[in-house]
Amino acid sequence: MGVFELDMLPESCVSVILSLTSPSDVCKSSLVSTTFRSAADSDSVWGNFLPSDYHEIVCDESLQFWSKKELYFHLCNPRLVGDGKMSLRLERWSGRISYILSARELSITCSHDPVCWVWKSIPQSRFSEVAELITTSCLEISGEIRTRKLSPNTKYRAYLILKTTERSYGLDSIPSETSIEIGSQMFKNTAYIRCQDAKKQQLETLFYSNRKQMMKSRVVKGDDRVMSKREDGWMELELGEFFNGGTCDEQVKMSLMETKGHQLKGGIIIEGIEIRPKT
């Protein structure tokens, strides 16, 4: 089919076709013909790539835009939403949605007790507050999100975003239990929040290796995941993954718990939980 024949297609028909593709395909198609270029800029096409609750986001952020295409590319950069307690971002070429729930949006056991946790602002965080663990023997952190806020037919992974401080202690004496719960399904695993001081790790291993093995038997068997470095300078710990079919609106609960070691621990800063598409 030649270019002149493509131009004979009604723009409304082209818009329907493009809305079934991806943002990347739409941008490429604008080079095909004038009809495709016009359709590729239309609100009817780009509206399909926006989050289903984009009206709430626009009101919440007072964003100014001239077209839904412009709004889409605005949202490809991280935006604070939900009174600044969440961060939203769209993948530029796929339109898939990522969220970060701030520490204030999470349920953290004893976070109201200043003996255990301190809320403070730090320049490295995208949110106004983070939670620093001073001391506790019971570490429980969880977050929730509805699947309607996420992209349908997409596999997601959830990550706890955190840092360890210079005074961290007691963090890897026993693996933490992680879980993802969606609908009637629950997926469990294990992970270590390790202190970043190599000498401190060696000393703890030397003096407490037998106790660590004994306590490890108290938790479920898992992969013993460890933290990895993020591009933004924070560390992340995978909590698990789930598939969002998009056929019904379900609640996803993501959690990390270390309640079976009965030892004091401290020296971590929690920024939040990120839910992002699996690559």
Side-chain angles (χ1 to χ4, degrees):
M1 182 179 284
V3 172
F4 68 94
E5 292 174 304
L6 288 175
D7 268 333
M8 294 173 62
L9 288 171
E11 184 179 322
S12 58
C13 179
V14 175
S15 295
V16 171
I17 295 170
L18 294 182
S19 67
L20 300 174
T21 62
S22 68
S24 176
D25 292 331
V26 171
C27 291
K28 293 173 184 176
S29 71
S30 64
L31 303 175
V32 172
S33 69
T34 55
T35 302
F36 271 69
R37 187 179 305 115
S38 178
D41 289 333
S42 68
D43 282 353
S44 61
V45 169
W46 289 95
N48 285 278
F49 303 136
L50 292 172
S52 59
D53 59 348
Y54 79 89
H55 291 290
E56 299 173 22
I57 296 169
V58 170
C59 293
D60 192 27
E61 285 296 296
S62 299
L63 281 173
Q64 294 189 358
F65 57 95
W66 297 104
S67 67
K68 289 183 178 178
K69 179 181 179 181
E70 184 181 358
L71 174 60
Y72 174 87
F73 284 105
H74 269 309
L75 297 179
C76 288
N77 298 307
R79 309 286 307 191
L80 291 180
V81 297
D83 296 326
K85 295 180 181 179
M86 297 186 290
S87 175
L88 162 75
R89 181 179 65 85
L90 304 182
E91 288 185 353
R92 183 173 294 270
W93 301 119
S94 71
R96 296 187 302 178
I97 305 167
S98 296
Y99 269 97
I100 299 179
L101 311 180
S102 73
R104 277 295 187 192
E105 194 72 6
L106 306 180
S107 173
I108 303 175
T109 299
C110 295
S111 61
H112 62 282
D113 186 348
V115 173
C116 299
W117 291 88
V118 170
W119 291 92
K120 62 182 186 179
S121 298
I122 60 174
Q124 299 89 348
S125 178
R126 72 207 83 209
F127 299 112
S128 60
E129 285 184 301
V130 296
E132 180 175 352
L133 174 62
I134 305 303
T135 187
T136 188
S137 60
C138 181
L139 182 62
E140 296 179 281
I141 303 169
S142 64
E144 297 176 350
I145 193 168
R146 305 294 304 190
T147 55
R148 63 178 172 80
K149 286 183 169 291
L150 304 173
S151 300
N153 301 313
T154 302
K155 181 168 281 190
Y156 277 90
R157 280 182 174 167
Y159 298 86
L160 181 67
I161 305 174
L162 70 162
K163 287 178 183 285
T164 57
T165 69
E166 293 180 354
R167 57 172 296 280
S168 61
Y169 62 93
L171 295 175
D172 58 358
S173 298
I174 184 172
S176 298
E177 294 179 307
T178 63
S179 67
I180 297 286
E181 186 176 353
I182 177 171
S184 59
Q185 296 180 299
M186 178 180 282
F187 309 95
K188 293 185 176 183
N189 213 319
T190 56
Y192 277 102
I193 303 176
R194 296 198 186 279
C195 143
Q196 298 304 295
D197 187 323
K199 289 184 178 180
K200 191 183 291 187
Q201 281 191 39
Q202 289 174 357
L203 286 172
E204 288 189 359
T205 300
L206 178 64
F207 289 106
Y208 303 113
S209 57
N210 291 336
R211 185 169 183 267
K212 284 184 177 183
Q213 289 301 317
M214 179 192 70
M215 291 193 297
K216 187 175 180 180
S217 64
R218 300 177 183 175
V219 304
V220 298
K221 291 184 178 180
D223 297 337
D224 292 349
R225 294 166 175 158
V226 294
M227 299 186 298
S228 57
K229 186 86 169 179
R230 293 168 55 93
E231 292 182 358
D232 57 15
W234 287 81
M235 305 295 290
E236 66 182 20
L237 189 64
E238 185 182 335
L239 302 178
E241 63 181 48
F242 63 94
F243 180 74
N244 180 26
T247 55
C248 59
D249 181 27
E250 296 181 295
Q251 183 167 275
V252 183
K253 183 177 181 179
M254 307 145 287
S255 66
L256 177 140
M257 298 176 61
E258 200 288 88
T259 60
K260 299 176 180 178
H262 306 298
Q263 87 286 351
L264 291 176
K265 59 190 76 68
I268 55 173
I269 299 174
I270 304 298
E271 189 188 33
I273 291 178
E274 180 172 30
I275 307 99
R276 67 173 185 257
K278 182 179 179 180
T279 55

